[in-house]
Amino acid sequence: MITSTQLRAKFLAFFQSKQHAVIPGKSLIPENDPTVLFTTAGMHPLVPYLLGEPHPAGKRLVDYQKCVRTGDIDEVGDPSHLTCFEMLGNWSLGDYFKKESIAWSWEFLTGRDWLNLDPAKLSVTVFEGDANAPRDEESASHWLAAGVPAGRIAFLPAGDNWWAAGPTGPCGPDTEIFYWLGAGLPPAGSNKGSDSANWMEIWNNVFMEYNRVDEKNLVKLPKQNVDTGMGLERTIAVLNGQTSVYQIDIYQAIITAIGRVSGYSYGADPTKDMSVRIIADHTRTATFIIGDPKGVSPGNIGAGYVLRRLIRRAVRHSRKLGIEGGFLGQLAEVVIGQFAGAYPELAENRQRILDELAREEAKFLETLQKGEHEFEKMLPNLLKNPQKIMSGRLAFKLYDTYGFPIELTLELAAENGLTVNRAEFDEAFKKHQELSRASTEGSFKGGLAEQSEITTRYHTATHLLQQALKMVLGDHVAQKGSNITAERLRFDFSHPEPMTPEQLQRVQEIVNQQIARDLPVTMEILPLEQAKASGATALFGEKYDALVKVYTMGDFSKEVCGGPHVERTGLLGKFIIQKEQSSSAGVRRIKAVLE
Ligand code: SER
């Protein structure tokens, strides 16, 4: 049996043997990317480098990255879907391309010293071509050269073999690798194109040579890159001859713990087993989100809202297993134990994780009790109804006023011989959602940090702003968040009280003076310690690579930052602070525009 720790180590070692530098994975909360709530693929933190920025660690990189995807939440619990997973990735930034990428993937998968998978159980797909890019005969020829029979290579359309993280950004054709899940050996000629159900994707090699600028325009990137993503959980399952990701070491440990707290023995009842898997998945994801260096708390918008939904869904399923009280903390301890080696931040933030989970759990249990109580009060009247129907309006009232989930209303109603007018509830619910979630919804759609000229200017202005704030307010000012769109910058920083109008005026003046001075913006690559010693501002708690980029703006500002930035501050225009407000306890927020 191979464990997740062993697979991570093997992957890094293999690519190190091919001269790749190991870089640390990054936060789950993307910096400077208003279009996504979470890091959803290993490539997200590397986007600036895929677009052409030099990476301080070089052109060949290898890493593992924690990711969260909630788009498939309804499929969680089936054999291959998780909301939190890890991607192992090797990267070429304008270095090697299709030939080496394919040869090395094959060597790692089938090599006796590496994963030693049976070549007869592997198949691949390549891009069949369309108006954007030609049929990828080149990749197919490299697979043939590696020894993959022609019958195991499927040419598929863009829906399968074109990878883009979002509506804009780096993209390109990909070649995907699948493992046979069926019994025995796959029949001759079987591949993903002919038998979709029995082939499970384990690795995706994207050949990123394009940048989608907008809906109509696809331009060639300055360099040809490789972005690969191997699903850690799926690959372990395959290596161990398991057919579900929930059978691997990490999830088995969590599932055993769920058995301990519930007394339910896994395998006895398919419906309850599903609840166990959902709880296992959601607890891991919630633990990772809270335990991230940029940890999030449950809330009503954005990432906090997703977190709240995950926790509440886990609690709801726990009740199906007969768990009554707080249990998430006990499970989170198991998650922390399983992952702290690979993600030390989980152990560092252990107390915060336990506190947040306990608080949200208690809040939700209270909601449930209140809802049940209200239902009991409604019951005598409901039972008088000859058709034994509860109106959707009443069910919605329970949801809207008390936060009581419809699933529980349905259960309570059924227990009392009632049915609920679901259509009426759904209609009321839909209306409510349209109103209240419009803002959060957009954030699920994916997409990448925009790298246009205007956002680059805002990025540079943010550095000037941070330095000006330090000068006016003091050295306690530290960046707590940054979010840039083409319309404005938003900067969160630690400061205990509202700024006075004079302070705001002064900060704005200083930034505009530095713009007027037309300072040169320069970049150098330094070892992290040296960068810090040189006085460069760095984010506390952020994981940096061993070598980092330091951006200097004349004699005014020096920050560790991935870039990109404009070349001179004179390009920024006029800097205007529009708003200063509270962001959270001890954190202030400034919104500013360039005109
Ligand atoms: N970006 C690709 C993916 O997410 C490969 O890493 O599948």
Side-chain angles (χ1 to χ4, degrees):
M1 286 277 164
I2 184 167
T3 64
S4 43
T5 308
Q6 288 162 342
L7 181 57
R8 277 187 218 102
K10 271 198 180 194
F11 191 84
L12 298 184
F14 177 80
F15 284 99
Q16 274 181 300
S17 81
K18 309 287 183 203
Q19 292 75 49
H20 288 59
V22 178
I23 57 166
K26 291 285 154 91
S27 166
L28 269 180
I29 315 298
E31 184 85 357
N32 262 325
D33 187 345
T35 61
V36 282
L37 294 175
F38 297 105
T39 297
T40 59
M43 64 157 311
H44 265 173
L46 285 143
V47 167
Y49 311 105
L50 294 164
L51 288 171
E53 282 289 302
H55 192 286
K59 293 180 179 171
R60 291 185 185 189
L61 311 173
V62 59
D63 68 358
Y64 59 90
Q65 173 68 47
K66 52 184 174 177
C67 303
V68 165
R69 275 186 205 177
T70 49
D72 297 332
I73 194 162
D74 290 329
E75 276 152 87
V76 164
D78 79 0
S80 60
H81 282 93
L82 298 165
T83 54
C84 180
F85 58 94
E86 292 176 70
M87 265 197 192
L88 303 163
N90 58 289
W91 311 85
S92 162
L93 302 174
D95 193 57
Y96 60 85
F97 205 45
K98 297 181 180 176
K99 181 168 178 229
E100 294 84 349
S101 169
I102 287 174
W104 290 339
S105 288
W106 192 250
E107 184 184 343
F108 182 63
L109 290 170
T110 62
R112 197 171 288 215
D113 294 336
W114 303 105
L115 299 190
N116 201 17
L117 284 170
D118 182 352
K121 289 191 173 186
L122 292 166
S123 74
V124 302
T125 58
V126 294
F127 182 49
E128 74 171 16
D130 63 13
N132 287 320
R135 186 175 169 90
D136 197 358
E137 294 290 357
E138 188 191 340
S139 291
S141 74
H142 296 312
W143 285 122
L144 286 171
V148 178
R152 292 266 185 269
I153 305 174
F155 282 86
L156 296 180
D160 298 277
N161 283 86
W162 183 271
W163 209 90
T168 59
C171 53
D174 68 31
T175 179
E176 301 186 1
I177 307 168
F178 298 80
Y179 190 81
W180 175 251
L181 292 184
L185 287 179
S190 173
N191 59 40
K192 177 71 180 173
S194 66
D195 179 358
S196 182
N198 277 313
W199 290 101
M200 174 158 79
E201 182 193 342
I202 53 172
W203 203 351
N204 182 10
N205 290 17
V206 186
F207 302 120
M208 278 186 172
E209 30 173 352
Y210 302 97
N211 184 16
R212 178 159 294 287
V213 196
D214 55 39
E215 219 174 286
K216 293 208 185 84
N217 294 299
L218 196 65
V219 297
K220 278 252 184 187
L221 284 169
K223 291 175 188 140
Q224 294 179 320
N225 307 303
V226 175
D227 147 27
T228 91
M230 170 183 266
L232 175 111
E233 294 81 0
R234 291 179 180 189
T235 306
I236 297 174
V238 156
L239 288 167
N240 291 335
Q242 296 155 334
T243 48
S244 157
V245 289
Y246 292 94
Q247 290 168 322
I248 74 172
D249 56 329
I250 311 161
Y251 290 100
Q252 278 309 303
I254 309 173
I255 286 173
T256 306
I258 297 173
R260 217 169 40 234
V261 288
S262 67
Y264 169 69
S265 73
Y266 189 67
D269 169 344
T271 314
K272 288 189 175 163
D273 288 350
M274 184 59 125
S275 290
V276 170
R277 292 192 295 269
I278 290 172
I279 296 168
D281 172 85
H282 291 8
T283 311
R284 174 188 178 188
T285 309
T287 305
F288 269 69
I289 294 176
I290 304 170
D292 190 87
K294 293 197 200 130
V296 169
S297 303
N300 288 328
I301 51 161
Y305 176 66
V306 174
L307 174 62
R308 170 161 285 165
R309 270 172 61 198
L310 289 166
I311 295 173
R312 295 189 166 201
R313 198 152 178 259
V315 172
R316 266 205 295 112
H317 280 278
S318 78
R319 289 162 62 97
K320 299 190 185 183
L321 302 179
I323 299 175
E324 298 262 312
F327 70 104
L328 284 171
Q330 290 176 62
L331 299 187
E333 294 273 23
V334 177
V335 176
I336 296 168
Q338 288 292 315
F339 289 101
Y343 300 96
E345 62 268 27
L346 295 178
E348 282 155 26
N349 297 322
R350 176 176 164 273
Q351 201 50 50
R352 209 179 102 73
I353 296 171
L354 299 182
D355 291 348
E356 292 281 13
L357 286 174
R359 200 173 311 142
E360 184 64 18
E361 204 172 12
K363 223 190 234 173
F364 188 48
L365 286 171
E366 203 180 297
T367 300
L368 294 181
Q369 270 162 11
K370 243 192 236 150
E372 276 162 4
H373 183 67
E374 287 306 313
F375 183 88
E376 301 291 329
K377 284 206 291 198
M378 292 173 179
L379 194 58
N381 257 336
L382 289 172
L383 291 174
K384 282 188 206 139
N385 173 331
Q387 279 118 21
K388 300 271 181 288
I389 294 179
M390 177 179 188
S391 75
R393 196 180 40 76
L394 264 189
F396 184 72
K397 183 174 169 214
L398 281 177
Y399 169 78
D400 193 34
T401 319
Y402 304 101
F404 198 63
I406 180 67
E407 292 81 1
L408 296 185
T409 304
L410 294 175
E411 269 172 36
L412 288 180
E415 278 167 25
N416 290 284
L418 298 163
T419 51
V420 178
N421 184 338
R422 186 66 201 254
E424 194 181 84
F425 172 87
D426 287 343
E427 200 178 310
F429 183 75
K430 216 171 122 205
K431 256 195 218 135
H432 161 86
Q433 268 200 325
E434 277 161 16
L435 292 175
S436 71
R437 283 231 312 255
S439 66
T440 312
E441 206 90 295
S443 318
F444 283 100
K445 294 206 178 86
L448 286 169
E450 202 207 339
Q451 301 275 344
S452 64
E453 177 64 26
I454 175 76
T455 54
T456 308
R457 283 164 60 211
Y458 275 117
H459 208 141
T460 305
T462 302
H463 283 215
L464 296 179
L465 171 62
Q466 172 158 210
Q467 184 54 31
L469 285 167
K470 280 189 202 284
M471 287 166 67
V472 174
L473 302 176
D475 268 340
H476 62 275
V477 167
Q479 173 166 346
K480 289 289 170 194
S482 161
N483 176 300
I484 288 171
T485 68
E487 281 80 40
R488 54 120 182 96
L489 68 81
R490 198 179 78 195
F491 185 70
D492 291 356
F493 58 99
S494 44
H495 185 59
E497 62 206 9
M499 287 175 68
T500 63
E502 294 74 29
Q503 288 171 333
L504 283 168
Q505 186 60 32
R506 185 76 197 111
V507 167
Q508 185 172 299
E509 259 168 37
I510 295 177
V511 172
N512 282 313
Q513 278 160 7
Q514 304 312 316
I515 294 173
R517 287 174 71 202
D518 195 19
L519 301 170
V521 180
T522 55
M523 187 272 282
E524 59 187 333
I525 294 174
L526 295 175
L528 180 60
E529 286 317 311
Q530 200 180 325
K532 285 188 181 161
S534 77
T537 307
L539 275 187
F540 180 77
E542 173 65 309
K543 278 198 227 163
Y544 286 107
D545 301 323
L547 287 174
V548 294
K549 289 166 130 183
V550 176
Y551 278 90
T552 303
M553 301 179 186
D555 55 2
F556 184 71
S557 135
K558 197 174 224 194
E559 264 191 57
V560 174
C561 174
H565 286 278
V566 297
E567 279 165 21
R568 304 196 67 88
T569 60
L571 297 166
L572 297 186
K574 191 162 172 222
F575 176 81
I576 300 166
I577 296 180
Q578 288 197 320
K579 213 179 203 176
E580 191 269 356
Q581 66 198 115
S582 164
S583 161
S584 60
V587 178
R588 308 295 303 173
R589 166 169 292 179
I590 281 185
K591 287 188 185 158
V593 295
L594 291 170
E595 281 183 353

